[in-house]
């Protein structure tokens, strides 16, 4: 009986004991590997690759994981890499994810490792740049893999490292597989199975969050995103005789204004924000010709399923009815994109203490909802997940460049905090679930009493 109580007490204190045993090793390992991680990041930054074209990046990742003795699977979701590290002790399975692709952006930042890669995208010549920090994500997760593999025998569980392609979409629609890409395709191909993942963690570097700080949010963090297309058909005529035709340009202008009333008059913005943006209108060829038709494209951002349905319905009603009032017709298409990036409340509540312990409670804050989107959400639809923002803004900077811009810049001083956070979340999750497993076992003493 005494031995059983000692055993249970030891396990019930497991998180604290696990922290005291492994956290110093994690911290020391992260500090020791900082320069190597920065070197990796600069190499990826100088050699960016677009979605489903990350061949060089994937090879570097796969070679590194193999050098650590980690089981590696390549070409998952076209160019994705998955590594499996089996700890020396049994336990749950935690997945850690980094996205690998760059963007069709021409870099303006004057750094020695500036991207000089160029390509043709959507019929236009453009540079290629890691303008959203995915190069940082890859380098950080490579560092986490090295730190955790060094303590493999002490880990009570399995770590699955997911290096994902095409978070920003594919370079060419022909590179889609079964109509899917990125996280959605990896999930379809079973990345969360064999072994089955119990929880997943991920981070995103932020150019507007100061180095040393971490932002998170329980529940909905980032928006669901959908693509909007409207084809308007009117009647072509001479620009000097507009009464002889049906002007799709004027009609499109009215539709753009009408769509803004969805957010201002239909959506309950006290519960969740929403966005309907028309990003481009293509139509017409000459100043004195009213064209027969034009195309409009845009983006939709929402934070709840019911809200998503409402916005879709109102877009159809407004576009078609305004077109009909002008004598034109509107063909509306809405392509469903990424779901809401939703942090599992129970998992978040349980693990936020780990992040506060690493970064300092004063440096961890509740992040406002972000109208950007992330396909990490496809993983979170299948297993509990926690996604957070890692500070990358230089201290004291007042006007940081936004993501997806030519002037996007990240301070590499925040990388070690990212390594420590992901590694610590992993080992703490293992410890917490080891406690749960032991506490769930029936007491032997009760069985003995019944047998007597």
């Amino acid at each position: 009986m005494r031995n059983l109580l000692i055993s249970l007490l030891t396990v019930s204190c497991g998180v604290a004991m696990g922290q005291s045993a492994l956290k110093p090793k994690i911290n020391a390992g992260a500090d020791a590997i900082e320069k190597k991680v920065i070197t990796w990041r600069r190499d990826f930054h100088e050699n960016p690759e677009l979605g489903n074209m990350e061949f060089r990046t994937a090879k570097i990742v796969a070679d590194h994981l193999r050098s650590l003795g980690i089981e590696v699977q390549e070409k998952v979701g076209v160019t994705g890499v998955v590594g499996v590290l089996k700890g020396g002790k049994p336990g749950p399975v935690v997945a850690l994810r980094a996205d690998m692709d760059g963007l069709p952006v021409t870099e303006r930042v004057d750094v020695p490792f500036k991207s000089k890669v160029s390509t043709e995208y959507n019929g236009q010549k453009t540079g290629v740049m890691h303008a959203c920090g995915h190069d940082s994500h890859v380098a950080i997760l490579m560092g986490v893999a090295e730190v955790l593999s060094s303590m493999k025998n002490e880990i009570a569980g399995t770590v699955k490292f997911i290096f994902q392609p095409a978070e920003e979409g594919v370079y060419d629609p022909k590179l889609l597989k079964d109509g899917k890409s990125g996280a959605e395709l990896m999930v379809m191909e079973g990345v969360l199975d064999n072994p089955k993942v119990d929880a997943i963690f991920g981070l995103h570097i932020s150019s507007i969050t100061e180095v040393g700080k971490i932002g998170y949010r329980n529940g909905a963090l980032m928006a669901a995103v959908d693509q909007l297309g409207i084809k308007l058909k009117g009647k072509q005529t001479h620009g000097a005789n507009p009464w002889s035709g049906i002007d799709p340009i004027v009609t499109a202008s009215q539709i753009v204004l009408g769509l803004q009333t969805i957010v201002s008059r239909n959506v309950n913005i006290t519960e969740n924000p929403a966005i309907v943006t028309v990003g481009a209108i293509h139509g017409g060829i000459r100043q004195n010709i009213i064209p027969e038709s034009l195309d409009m494209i845009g983006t939709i951002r929402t934070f709840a399923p019911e809200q998503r349905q409402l916005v879709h319905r109102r877009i159809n009603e407004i576009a078609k009815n305004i077109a009909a009032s002008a004598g034109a017709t509107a063909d509306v298409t809405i392509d469903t994109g990424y779901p809401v990036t939703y942090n599992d409340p129970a998992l978040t509540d349980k693990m936020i203490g780990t992040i506060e312990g690493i970064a300092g409670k004063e440096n961890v804050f509740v992040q406002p909802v972000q109208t950007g989107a992330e396909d990490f959400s496809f993983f979170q639809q299948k297993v509990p997940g926690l996604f957070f923002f890692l500070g990358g803004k230089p201290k004291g900077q007042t006007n940081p460049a936004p993501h997806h811009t030519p002037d996007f810049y990240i301070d590499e001083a925040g990388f070690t905090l990212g390594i420590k956070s992901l590694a610590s979340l992993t080992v703490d999750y293992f410890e917490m679930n080891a406690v749960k497993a032991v506490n769930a076992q029936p007491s032997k003493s009760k069985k003995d009493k019944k047998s007597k």
Side-chain angles (χ1 to χ4, degrees), residues 63-133:
D63 289 347
H64 176 64
L65 296 180
R66 286 195 181 95
S67 74
L68 301 173
I70 294 173
E71 297 177 15
V72 175
Q73 183 180 1
E74 298 180 78
K75 299 181 181 179
V76 184
V78 182
T79 50
V81 178
V82 179
V84 177
L85 174 67
K86 295 178 180 177
K89 305 171 187 177
V93 180
V94 165
L96 304 174
R97 174 270 204 166
D99 39 9
M100 302 189 295
D101 54 324
L103 286 159
V105 174
T106 302
E107 184 165 13
R108 282 199 299 246
V109 183
D110 187 16
V111 291
F113 49 94
K114 176 180 180 179
S115 170
K116 298 179 179 64
V117 177
S118 61
T119 189
E120 187 172 293
Y121 186 83
N122 281 345
Q124 300 181 48
K125 289 185 178 180
T126 179
V128 181
M129 177 188 176
H130 272 295
C132 201

Side-chain angles (χ1 to χ4, degrees), residues 349-370:
D349 288 342
K350 185 164 66 173
M351 303 308 302
I352 196 60
T354 294
I355 294 177
E356 291 175 341
I358 295 297
K361 194 169 185 178
E362 70 281 4
N363 293 315
V364 180
F365 64 96
V366 177
Q367 179 85 39
V369 292
Q370 301 294 297

Side-chain angles (χ1 to χ4, degrees), residues 226-249:
D226 303 312
Q227 294 183 358
L228 170 64
I230 302 175
K231 292 184 179 294
L232 280 177
K233 186 174 182 181
K235 181 181 178 183
Q236 186 162 323
T237 188
H238 197 298
N241 307 109
W243 53 84
S244 301
I246 298 172
D247 192 338
I249 294 177

Side-chain angles (χ1 to χ4, degrees), residues 206 209-213 363 391-395 411-415 417:
S206 171
T209 301
E210 193 174 79
V211 162
K213 297 187 180 296
N363 293 315
K393 182 182 78 171
K395 291 187 177 182
D411 188 336
E412 298 162 333
F415 289 3
L417 178 57

Side-chain angles (χ1 to χ4, degrees), residues 14-35:
V15 175
M17 293 179 67
Q19 288 176 350
S20 62
L22 294 182
K23 290 300 174 62
K25 293 184 178 181
I26 289 173
N27 292 339
D31 290 338
I33 204 175
E34 180 184 23
K35 290 183 179 178

Side-chain angles (χ1 to χ4, degrees), residues 159-428:
V159 190
K160 185 174 282 191
F161 301 95
I162 299 175
F163 292 86
Q164 177 211 309
E167 191 280 328
E168 303 286 2
V170 296
Y171 164 67
D172 186 327
K174 294 176 183 177
L175 296 173
L176 288 168
K177 185 176 178 183
D178 299 324
K180 310 293 183 184
S181 66
E184 186 177 19
L185 180 58
M186 294 188 89
V187 170
M188 283 179 57
E189 293 187 355
V191 73
L192 298 177
D193 302 315
N194 301 318
K196 183 174 174 55
V197 171
D198 296 296
I200 186 167
F201 301 109
L203 61 76
H204 203 301
I205 198 82
S206 171
S207 70
I208 61 173
T209 301
E210 193 174 79
V211 162
K213 297 187 180 296
I214 287 178
Y216 80 101
R217 189 176 190 83
N218 207 325
L221 172 67
M222 300 181 75
V225 57
D226 303 312
Q227 294 183 358
L228 170 64
I230 302 175
K231 292 184 179 294
L232 280 177
K233 186 174 182 181
K235 181 181 178 183
Q236 186 162 323
T237 188
H238 197 298
N241 307 109
W243 53 84
S244 301
I246 298 172
D247 192 338
I249 294 177
V250 171
T251 305
S253 303
Q254 294 172 329
I255 289 174
V256 170
L257 294 176
L259 293 178
Q260 303 315 302
T261 65
I262 297 173
V263 175
S264 67
R265 290 296 178 268
N266 300 138
V267 172
N268 184 347
I269 56 173
T270 64
E271 294 180 353
N272 285 305
I275 288 175
V276 179
T277 292
V278 175
I281 299 177
H282 300 287
I285 195 170
R286 184 178 165 87
Q287 79 277 6
N288 63 348
I289 299 175
I290 292 175
E292 181 176 73
S293 62
L294 62 75
D295 293 330
M296 306 165 62
I297 55 175
T299 188
I300 306 163
R301 309 292 168 121
T302 52
F303 285 89
E306 299 81 7
Q307 182 193 56
R308 200 177 198 179
Q309 293 173 7
L310 167 66
V311 172
H312 289 191
R313 175 173 60 82
R314 289 297 292 141
I315 288 173
N316 272 277
E317 291 171 349
I318 289 170
K320 291 178 179 179
N321 287 328
I322 287 178
S325 71
T329 59
D331 179 22
V332 179
T333 58
I334 298 175
D335 295 327
T336 302
Y338 303 164
V340 173
T341 305
Y342 186 86
N343 285 334
D344 181 85
L347 180 67
T348 304
D349 288 342
K350 185 164 66 173
M351 303 308 302
I352 196 60
T354 294
I355 294 177
E356 291 175 341
I358 295 297
K361 194 169 185 178
E362 70 281 4
N363 293 315
V364 180
F365 64 96
V366 177
Q367 179 85 39
V369 292
Q370 301 294 297
T371 49
E374 242 287 352
D375 73 350
F376 186 82
S377 53
F378 285 110
F379 300 122
Q380 291 175 310
Q381 282 189 324
K382 300 297 182 181
V383 299
L386 171 58
F387 193 73
F388 58 94
F389 288 95
L390 175 70
K393 182 182 78 171
K395 291 187 177 182
Q397 188 177 42
T398 55
N399 295 301
H403 291 234
H404 290 218
T405 67
D407 302 307
F408 174 80
Y409 177 80
I410 288 297
D411 188 336
E412 298 162 333
F415 289 3
T416 54
L417 178 57
I419 298 169
K420 293 173 184 178
S421 297
L422 289 178
S424 297
L425 284 168
T426 302
V427 298
D428 279 3

